Amino acid sequence: MKITVEDSTNREKILHIEVDDDRLEKHVKQAIKHHGKNVNIPGFRKGKAPSSIVENFLGRNWLVNKALESLIPDVIQYAIDEHKITAVATPKVTKLDVDPVRLDARVALEPEVVIDDYSDLVFDDSTETIDEKKVQLSIDQLLEAQAIWQPVEKPVGDGYMAIIDCAGAVGDDELMSVKSTEFIISPGNPIPVPGFTEELLDLKIGEKKQFNVLIPDDFTREEFRNKQANFNVNIIGIKEKILPELNNEFVVSLGEEDIHTVDSLRNRIESNLKIQSEDQLRRTLEEKIIETLIDRSTFDISPLIVEREVDQMVENQKQSLERYKLDFDSYLERIGQTQDDFMNQTKESAENRVKRSIIMDKLVEIENIKPEEEDIDNEMNLITKGDTGLSKKDNIIQRENLKIMLSRKGALDAIISRTHKPNTEDKKKTSNSKKDNKKSE
């Protein structure tokens, strides 16, 4: 087998491979053995015909094409190993001749990045101040989540729930048809169309109403845009949201350990909000550091690496859609995109993800971060919770992933510790203002 390697642009090498007859015949024989088991040849039991008979029956050209399926990756990997090339993505065949077998393949190398000096970076972001108003907002949301819907004999009001029968049409075309369906009455609610729920205000149980609503020009169904929709509504029932009373009994009903009073609930919420604020600050600083360094850096990346990321992102999206019983084409139609639109958008995201990963690994190298084995062990214990059922291979993969995660976190920790100079003036003013208010009281 003859192999030549050509240096190319964008961190790639081009393999030129000429396959010898012996190697081809080896894969043809494998194809005969594999496919011969599944063919019925007159005069022979299934899978028992001699190789020469199978070859004549299936045809030499067909068998060679099948042999190429295993031959091509085999010879490419042989060439990579023979020339000690570190490939980081699946090689791409760009040229293939069958007689004799000759092929060219692009091979992606490790990407390179040059990061400009970042010792001048300074970020003055601060944690969000957690005041009583924010605590009360969280409590209100908690009460809302525990609310019940109580049937009432009142007219429909803002925030009520109306149970309705409704038929809607645009001209002779049906827009909607529902029976005993619940609608939350909220001005500005765009479902089914803006202005619909406002028409239900002040109606009573058993009352019927016919009305028209102009469909906006951004409605999902293009054929109905800027047209009048006619609705016939019958109010079947009305419910009012009843919030629980905020007292110690309500707090106990939440079932949270060590929280039995309203004061203890407020303290826990305040503590959680502070933790969330600190986590958000951390994410903000990480994002600013990475995005700033991407802008300051020069990348040399094989397009094959970006293509691999695109394929992975598309596959993940399809798997996610399958969980909701949606096919990919229906999803694209729903979001109003063509496949080309989606792929172009995904490519931009993939390029950014690849650059972020490259930047992070380079920062680990620059900051000389090496996680301790004990830290990796601790993280492993948190994930497995003492379960030792992982296979040896899975254990190695998990530890390697944790090592990468801890290395990247350590690099960001080091940079944040040097670049984060929070602006405390606003907090001082807020603190002084609170003290002055207390003095005036």
Side-chain angles (χ1 to χ4, degrees):
M1 187 164 64
K2 183 179 178 182
I3 303 169
T4 57
V5 180
E6 174 190 343
D7 290 329
S8 183
T9 57
N10 298 322
R11 295 292 296 156
E12 290 183 1
K13 288 184 181 293
I14 308 296
L15 301 178
H16 303 283
I17 303 174
E18 295 183 20
V19 180
D20 56 84
D21 291 340
D22 288 344
R23 189 177 290 267
L24 172 61
E25 286 307 311
K26 174 185 174 184
H27 286 267
V28 169
K29 288 179 180 178
Q30 290 175 357
I32 292 172
K33 183 177 180 181
H34 177 73
H35 295 283
K37 295 184 298 185
N38 302 314
V39 294
N40 290 310
I41 300 176
F44 298 93
R45 285 184 296 162
K46 187 175 182 179
K48 297 299 182 179
S51 296
S52 59
I53 301 295
V54 173
E55 182 173 354
N56 288 332
F57 184 80
L58 294 176
R60 175 71 181 181
N61 289 340
W62 188 88
L63 285 168
V64 168
N65 284 327
K66 288 298 178 182
L68 291 176
E69 294 177 5
S70 60
L71 173 68
I72 290 173
D74 178 50
V75 296
I76 289 176
Q77 189 59 53
Y78 177 85
I80 288 172
D81 294 340
E82 185 73 11
H83 289 267
K84 296 181 172 55
I85 300 171
T86 304
V88 294
T90 303
K92 185 172 185 177
V93 176
T94 56
K95 179 182 177 183
L96 176 62
D97 296 325
V98 177
D99 190 16
V101 177
R102 292 180 296 193
L103 63 96
D104 294 345
R106 291 166 52 199
V107 179
L109 307 178
E110 283 280 0
E112 289 185 344
V113 60
V114 177
I115 302 179
D116 285 351
D117 177 55
Y118 53 88
S119 61
D120 62 322
L121 293 183
V122 175
F123 303 104
D124 62 359
D125 305 70
S126 301
T127 54
E128 181 185 16
T129 301
I130 305 303
D131 54 19
E132 181 56 33
K133 186 176 180 180
K134 290 185 175 64
V135 173
Q136 186 58 48
L137 177 61
S138 292
I139 289 177
D140 292 343
Q141 292 170 345
L142 184 59
L143 293 172
E144 285 277 347
Q146 300 294 321
I148 61 172
W149 289 98
Q150 184 73 39
V152 293
E153 298 292 331
K154 300 178 183 179
V156 175
D158 185 15
Y160 282 33
M161 177 189 289
I163 299 95
I164 67 171
D165 291 343
C166 177
V170 178
D172 295 330
D173 297 320
E174 182 180 280
L175 175 62
M176 65 178 293
S177 180
V178 297
K179 293 286 187 181
S180 300
T181 300
E182 299 173 339
F183 280 88
I184 304 298
I185 308 304
S186 175
N189 185 352
I191 300 174
V193 294
F196 176 85
T197 58
E198 286 87 338
E199 292 287 344
L200 306 185
L201 288 170
D202 299 324
L203 296 181
K204 298 176 183 177
I205 295 176
E207 204 168 347
K208 298 180 180 180
K209 185 177 182 180
Q210 181 177 353
F211 56 89
N212 294 328
V213 175
L214 180 65
I215 297 179
D217 59 8
D218 60 351
F219 192 63
T220 52
R221 295 178 64 176
E222 188 174 349
E223 69 272 22
F224 290 157
R225 291 175 182 173
N226 298 311
K227 294 182 179 179
Q228 289 286 343
N230 177 261
F231 294 97
N232 285 284
V233 174
N234 180 20
I235 304 296
I236 304 299
I238 301 171
K239 293 182 179 181
E240 182 181 7
K241 184 186 288 185
I242 307 298
L243 297 178
E245 183 181 351
L246 180 61
N247 52 31
N248 291 347
E249 182 179 354
F250 168 74
V251 174
V252 171
S253 73
L254 298 175
E256 292 291 330
E257 189 177 350
D258 299 330
I259 303 179
H260 306 294
T261 66
V262 174
D263 285 342
S264 63
L265 176 63
R266 288 184 181 278
N267 291 337
R268 174 65 64 84
I269 289 175
E270 182 178 11
S271 175
N272 288 344
L273 289 175
K274 288 179 178 178
I275 292 172
Q276 291 173 16
S277 177
E278 291 166 358
D279 289 343
Q280 181 57 50
L281 173 62
R282 168 75 186 203
R283 288 192 293 272
T284 298
L285 293 172
E286 288 181 356
E287 192 66 22
K288 286 188 173 183
I289 289 169
I290 295 170
E291 288 302 321
T292 300
L293 294 183
I294 286 177
D295 290 340
R296 289 188 177 194
S297 301
T298 303
F299 295 88
D300 193 0
I301 307 169
S302 165
L304 293 178
I305 295 176
V306 177
E307 289 174 17
R308 178 188 62 185
E309 190 69 23
V310 169
D311 291 343
Q312 185 61 56
M313 291 173 69
V314 171
E315 183 60 30
N316 289 343
Q317 182 67 54
K318 288 181 178 179
Q319 290 179 2
S320 177
L321 292 171
E322 285 175 3
R323 289 196 288 269
Y324 295 98
K325 309 300 181 185
L326 279 174
D327 65 85
F328 190 56
D329 291 336
S330 299
Y331 168 74
L332 292 178
E333 184 178 350
R334 182 170 296 187
I335 64 175
Q337 286 189 347
T338 65
Q339 187 152 340
D340 286 342
D341 292 335
F342 182 83
M343 294 303 289
N344 288 334
Q345 181 179 319
T346 303
K347 184 179 179 181
E348 291 179 12
S349 300
E351 287 176 346
N352 185 261
R353 284 173 58 160
V354 169
K355 286 181 178 180
R356 292 170 72 92
S357 179
I358 294 169
I359 283 285
M360 288 304 306
D361 290 339
K362 190 65 175 180
L363 290 178
V364 170
E365 177 187 329
I366 294 172
E367 298 291 334
N368 193 28
I369 303 299
K370 296 177 182 177
E372 298 290 339
E373 288 297 317
E374 182 180 354
D375 294 332
I376 298 175
D377 290 340
N378 291 336
E379 290 292 333
M380 279 291 290
N381 289 334
L382 286 174
I383 293 173
T384 62
K385 296 180 180 178
D387 181 13
T388 57
L390 280 179
S391 67
K392 184 176 181 180
K393 179 180 177 181
D394 289 340
N395 186 70
I396 292 172
I397 293 173
Q398 188 70 271
R399 288 187 70 84
E400 187 59 30
N401 289 337
L402 287 173
K403 182 179 180 180
I404 292 171
M405 181 197 75
L406 291 173
S407 298
R408 292 177 172 183
K409 181 180 180 300
L412 287 170
D413 285 343
I415 297 172
I416 288 173
S417 69
R418 298 195 304 268
T419 62
H420 185 213
K421 312 293 181 185
N423 185 354
T424 58
E425 290 301 314
D426 291 339
K427 287 193 173 185
K428 287 181 180 178
K429 289 177 182 178
T430 302
S431 177
N432 290 335
S433 176
K434 287 182 178 179
K435 291 178 181 178
D436 292 342
N437 287 338
K438 288 184 178 180
K439 287 180 181 178
S440 63
E441 291 173 359

